[in-house]
Structures are given as C-alpha cells and as structure tokens.
Amino acid sequence: MKNSLIQKYNVPGPRYTSYPTVPYWNEADFLYQNWIDTLKKTFAESNSKEGISLYIHLPFCESMCTFCGCNKRITKNHGVENPYIEAVLKEWILYCKILGEKPQIKEIHLGGGTPTFFSPKNLEDLINGIFCHATKAKDYEFSFEGHPNNTTHEHLRKLYDLGFRRVSFGVQDYSEKVQKAIHREQPFHNVAKVTFWAREIGYTSIGHDIIFGLPFQQLADVIDTVEKTKSLQPDRLAFYSYAHVPWIKGNGQRGFKDEDLPKDQEKRMLYQTGKELLLENGYHEVGMDHFALETDSLFEAFKNGQLHRNFMGYSSSKTQLMIGLGVSSISDSWYSFAQNEKKLEDYYQILQWDKLPIFRGHLLNNEDLIIRKHILNLMCRFETSWENECDYFDEIPEVLIQLQEMQKDGLLLIGESFIQVTGNGKPYIRNICMAFDLHLRRKAPETELFSMTI
C-alpha cells in the first residue's frame, strides 16, 4: 500500500513557505508603492502589539555546497564583509524612515549563505546598527545559522551577548561519501564541538539540520547520522527532504547525476527510518520535516496551536510583518510580498539611489488571504476549517472532491466544515495543500518549477 501511495503522490509540488508561491506572484500588476502602502498599514496594526520580524540574508560562502538551492556568492575574500553590512544597514535605515517610528523587533534570523562567514565583530556591528533605530519587543527570539566548520567560540559568545538564544547547525549527513558528493566535508567532532560550546554558553535552543535523499545516501548512512545526532541531543531538528532543482540558475546542484539519488520508496524509507528513530528517543514531529524535544519552544508552539510558517521556515512566534534585509530576501506584510534584487551588484546599485532594492512582489487579494490561512493551518496544525463564513471560498466543493481520493487512501478525514490530516497523511502534507492551491489548479506549470513532494 505504501509503495503504491508513493508512486501515486510523488509529484512536483511547492513547499508552501508562502501562498501564493513565488512562481504564481502577479508581478506585472505589482507596484513599488503597493509594498510601501501595505508595509505602513501592517506596521500600524501590529508593531505596538506584537512587534516585527527581521530576516537578514548573509550570502557569502567560502565554498559551494552542491546540495544547496539558496542564493549565495562564493568567495574567500573577506573584504566583502564591511561593504555588505553597510548596505544592509542602509536598507534598514530606509525602512525606518518609511515606518516613521522605532520598530519593536520580536524576531531576528540570520540566514544565508553562511552567516558565520562574517567575523564576530562585523556581526556585532550589524546587530548594534539595527538597534540604533529599533527596540527589542517583549519575549524576543533571535537566531542564526552556523556552519560547524567555521563557527568559533567567539561567534557563539558574541551573538549570545547580543541576545541570541537559538542556533541551528547544518549537518546534512555524516557519511564521508555523501559529504564528498555534496562538497560539504565536516567531521562529527566539529559538530559536537560547536554544539557543546553553544550549550555551555547558555543557548536555550540548539538545532541540527539533516537531509534525506542526498546522492549516494543509503539507509545505513541515515541511521548513523541519526544515532550521532541523538548523542548530541539537539533541542530541535529539521529533517529535510533534499530538493533536487538543478534547473534553477546558480544553485550549484552538480557533481552528481540524477541516478545517484535515492528515489521513491527508497527515499521514503530513509525518512521513515530516521523519523522512527527520532520518535523513539523523545523527539516529537512538529509540522513538516521538523522534530523537537518537549522542552523546546517549537514543540510548545505546536502543542498550543501557535506554530507559524513563513519564508524563514517554522517559527514559535508569529508577527504580521516580516522585513527581509539583504540580497534576494523576501518581505511579508501579510497583505503583500516583496523580494529584493537577487544579484548583489544590482542590490548595491539601487541602494545608492536611496530606494528599497525591490524587484518583484505580489499584492494578495481576498481569495489569496483566505487560501493562505488554510494552507498555514494545514502546514502548522495538520487541520483546517471553514466553519466561519469568512474562511469559506467558492471552490471548497471542488477541493473536497479532489480530497476524497486522499480520504480513501487514509491520508485525511473530511468533516462537514473541516479536514484533519491523519498520521499516515503527514508525509503527504504538500500534496494536501496543493488541493487548496487555486493558482496551481487554474494554471499547471509548463516548465519545471518545484521539487518532488516525497
């Protein structure tokens, strides 16, 4: 049965960090002023109540990891650090001038690229520069992504002193063969060292990112990686499916062939085995591809129905406004999305004109807002409802017809005004969300856009 379900549902599909997904943004009708207007509206509605979130993209890496689909710039020249931080702070100042009053920052996440490419001093200058024009909201949460090979004790100490309490380390897999294929060679003792340092310094949430479906990865590799991970007891884990999207320009997914990747049932077995090992050792499944100990804030948020998902991934706190700073970053005012220039030189150039470096976006209409809520409910709570009239949309009967097949397959339960995803349905959550995706239903992709759902 499981074999046939995998064959049936393993299709290209979005990961739903947003709705509408980026390929379906209505860029043609989006105006720069749309972003400014919705930015001000959301800031006025939410800053004093909940604060805002900042995502800061730090794109530089010293070497290319061939599993990575992120926007990055490969260089060993650390002279790029200061000009980039100056540019990000200039972008932030432009935002603060538009907002008109000091933002309360609830959440900061430093992503990349490799945030720990930057020196501790430069990261300190970045964060202090941000707070020259902002204050910390109550119960703020600051986090960053660390590379085990170059995260130093000074990095961890400096960011801790600046208010960071959560760090995630990119592990991927401990197999030497897999590491060589993805050009991410890092021994276990490097991961153990930074994990112990972080715990000793006082970080309250230490995360590890591991991936299944990597080239040459076998079941024994996943078992070994999970066993080593368990020995370090990170507070939370992202256990991602490798997203193979080699058609995206500049993502660096090369150095191996399609036939080197585990597929379908073989790939699903990697996930199922890893998941069972994690559940046996005190981790709880939280959302899609995430696991956490009971003591971690991510599990608490999931248990209390407060888990949120945005362009930064899963979060234990929700803000209506998220501003993305840096090249390629995406901002979310709830009513619209806006993405920065993806090419570093263009990002710098537009900032010289004292203008936000936005090159595309999408203004959400009422239908988008309703569907977005349902997809967020499914991704964060594994259920959604249209019991309230404001959550109903005209295509609900068509959606339910499509979902009836999934109900027959035991993936979900359909009620009079709700659906609930079953335990068997959780691995197929992207497929379930696709039934609600009206943009996707109305216009199927004509070219390759998304990774496989399984």
Side-chain angles (χ1 to χ4, degrees):
M1 178 65 171
K2 287 185 178 180
N3 239 344
S4 60
L5 288 180
I6 291 168
Q7 296 294 335
K8 185 175 183 178
Y9 292 112
N10 192 21
V11 297
R15 293 196 173 219
Y16 293 110
T17 49
S18 75
Y19 181 83
T21 57
V22 175
Y24 286 95
W25 285 4
N26 184 0
E27 298 177 36
D29 294 338
F30 180 82
L31 301 174
Y32 181 89
Q33 193 60 41
N34 292 143
W35 172 242
I36 302 301
D37 292 344
T38 61
L39 171 74
K40 289 180 176 180
K41 176 183 178 181
T42 302
F43 184 74
E45 290 175 351
S46 63
N47 183 54
S48 62
K49 292 186 293 184
E50 63 185 18
I52 72 169
S53 296
L54 283 187
Y55 170 75
I56 306 176
H57 191 72
L58 302 172
F60 302 111
C61 300
E62 287 196 346
S63 62
M64 174 76 81
C65 298
T66 58
F67 68 90
C68 179
C70 300
N71 183 287
K72 64 267 183 186
R73 180 65 64 93
I74 308 301
T75 181
K76 293 185 182 295
N77 173 22
H78 285 262
V80 300
E81 294 184 37
N82 284 324
Y84 188 77
I85 286 176
E86 289 171 6
V88 169
L89 290 176
K90 180 171 184 178
E91 184 186 358
W92 176 236
I93 290 169
L94 290 174
Y95 267 111
C96 291
K97 287 179 178 177
I98 293 167
L99 297 174
E101 65 177 88
K102 277 193 172 185
Q104 294 188 75
I105 299 179
K106 173 85 169 179
E107 189 173 11
I108 293 177
H109 184 72
L110 306 181
T114 306
T116 46
F117 173 97
F118 288 76
S119 71
K121 176 63 168 63
N122 281 336
L123 292 175
E124 179 182 35
D125 290 345
L126 171 63
I127 300 304
N128 285 339
I130 294 292
F131 282 104
C132 284
H133 309 277
T135 59
K136 294 175 182 176
K138 184 182 177 182
D139 300 325
Y140 64 87
E141 183 177 275
F142 300 166
S143 59
F144 74 97
E145 298 166 11
H147 192 316
N149 284 355
N150 67 15
T151 300
T152 65
H153 192 278
E154 187 183 0
H155 276 118
L156 291 162
R157 169 52 67 183
K158 183 69 70 178
L159 288 167
Y160 181 88
D161 291 343
L162 291 165
F164 286 73
R165 294 295 181 269
R166 187 162 68 79
V167 57
S168 60
F169 296 114
V171 173
Q172 323 327 336
D173 188 279
Y174 287 114
S175 161
E176 292 182 7
K177 184 175 183 178
V178 174
Q179 288 186 1
K180 186 175 181 180
I182 63 175
H183 204 226
R184 179 69 175 235
E185 298 179 55
Q186 57 187 28
F188 172 71
H189 68 78
N190 283 7
V191 180
K193 179 177 63 177
V194 293
T195 300
F196 290 144
W197 280 346
R199 190 164 285 130
E200 180 184 54
I201 288 169
Y203 282 81
T204 55
S205 181
I206 300 167
H208 286 186
D209 294 349
I210 55 182
I211 298 178
F212 65 95
L214 291 168
F216 305 111
Q217 193 178 48
Q218 298 183 3
L219 188 59
D221 299 323
V222 168
I223 293 172
D224 180 63
T225 295
V226 173
E227 291 293 334
K228 285 185 168 69
T229 300
K230 281 161 38 187
S231 73
L232 300 178
Q233 281 290 291
D235 300 281
R236 64 174 71 173
L237 284 160
F239 189 26
Y240 291 120
S241 167
Y242 167 62
H244 192 52
V245 286
W247 53 86
I248 296 179
K249 184 179 178 182
N251 73 0
Q253 291 184 341
R254 58 179 185 267
F256 50 86
K257 302 173 184 176
D258 284 2
E259 51 263 37
D260 297 327
L261 299 170
K263 293 182 179 64
D264 297 339
Q265 178 61 19
E266 182 185 4
K267 184 178 180 182
R268 178 48 51 182
M269 183 59 69
L270 299 180
Y271 174 75
Q272 194 62 37
T273 301
K275 172 183 171 177
E276 289 171 2
L277 288 171
L278 292 170
L279 295 178
E280 288 171 7
N281 286 272
Y283 289 93
H284 295 265
E285 191 170 14
V286 176
M288 181 180 74
D289 298 340
H290 283 67
F291 297 82
L293 296 175
E294 288 187 1
T295 51
D296 191 76
S297 61
L298 202 67
F299 174 74
E300 283 295 317
F302 176 72
K303 186 175 68 173
N304 297 330
Q306 296 174 331
L307 190 67
H308 183 57
R309 183 170 173 83
N310 55 28
F311 289 105
M312 297 187 290
Y314 282 108
S315 171
S316 57
S317 61
K318 175 187 177 296
T319 63
Q320 194 171 330
L321 176 60
M322 185 191 82
I323 293 176
L325 301 177
V327 64
S328 79
S329 287
I330 299 178
S331 298
D332 177 1
S333 71
W334 189 256
Y335 305 109
S336 73
F337 302 125
Q339 184 172 25
N340 283 353
E341 291 286 351
K342 297 174 80 172
K343 189 176 179 183
L344 189 59
E345 291 74 16
D346 294 338
Y347 172 77
Y348 286 151
Q349 180 62 62
I350 294 176
L351 283 171
Q352 287 182 2
W353 301 336
D354 292 330
K355 184 179 177 182
L356 296 178
I358 291 165
F359 88 102
R360 65 176 174 181
H362 177 84
L363 186 64
L364 283 79
N365 58 31
N366 189 57
E367 177 189 276
D368 289 338
L369 291 169
I370 293 171
I371 302 300
R372 180 185 192 183
K373 183 176 179 181
H374 286 298
I375 287 179
L376 274 173
N377 287 341
L378 289 166
M379 296 296 288
C380 297
R381 304 177 187 175
F382 295 119
E383 62 182 20
T384 195
S385 166
W386 48 96
E387 186 174 357
N388 293 329
E389 187 177 339
C390 62
D391 296 326
Y392 186 86
F393 57 98
D394 290 342
E395 287 84 351
I396 277 281
E398 296 174 32
V399 171
L400 294 181
I401 289 172
Q402 186 172 341
L403 291 175
Q404 283 175 0
E405 186 71 16
M406 295 185 181
Q407 181 170 240
K408 290 177 184 176
D409 289 332
L411 307 185
L412 52 83
L413 299 173
I414 300 176
E416 186 176 340
S417 58
F418 69 89
I419 67 165
Q420 291 180 337
V421 181
T422 65
N424 289 335
K426 289 180 180 180
Y428 303 93
I429 189 65
R430 292 166 68 186
N431 304 80
I432 296 169
C433 289
M434 286 166 67
F436 282 82
D437 189 337
L438 298 187
H439 288 279
L440 187 64
R441 286 161 62 88
R442 291 166 184 160
K443 185 180 179 182
E446 296 177 358
T447 59
E448 292 178 304
L449 289 179
F450 305 115
S451 63
M452 303 299 282
T453 56
I454 298 172

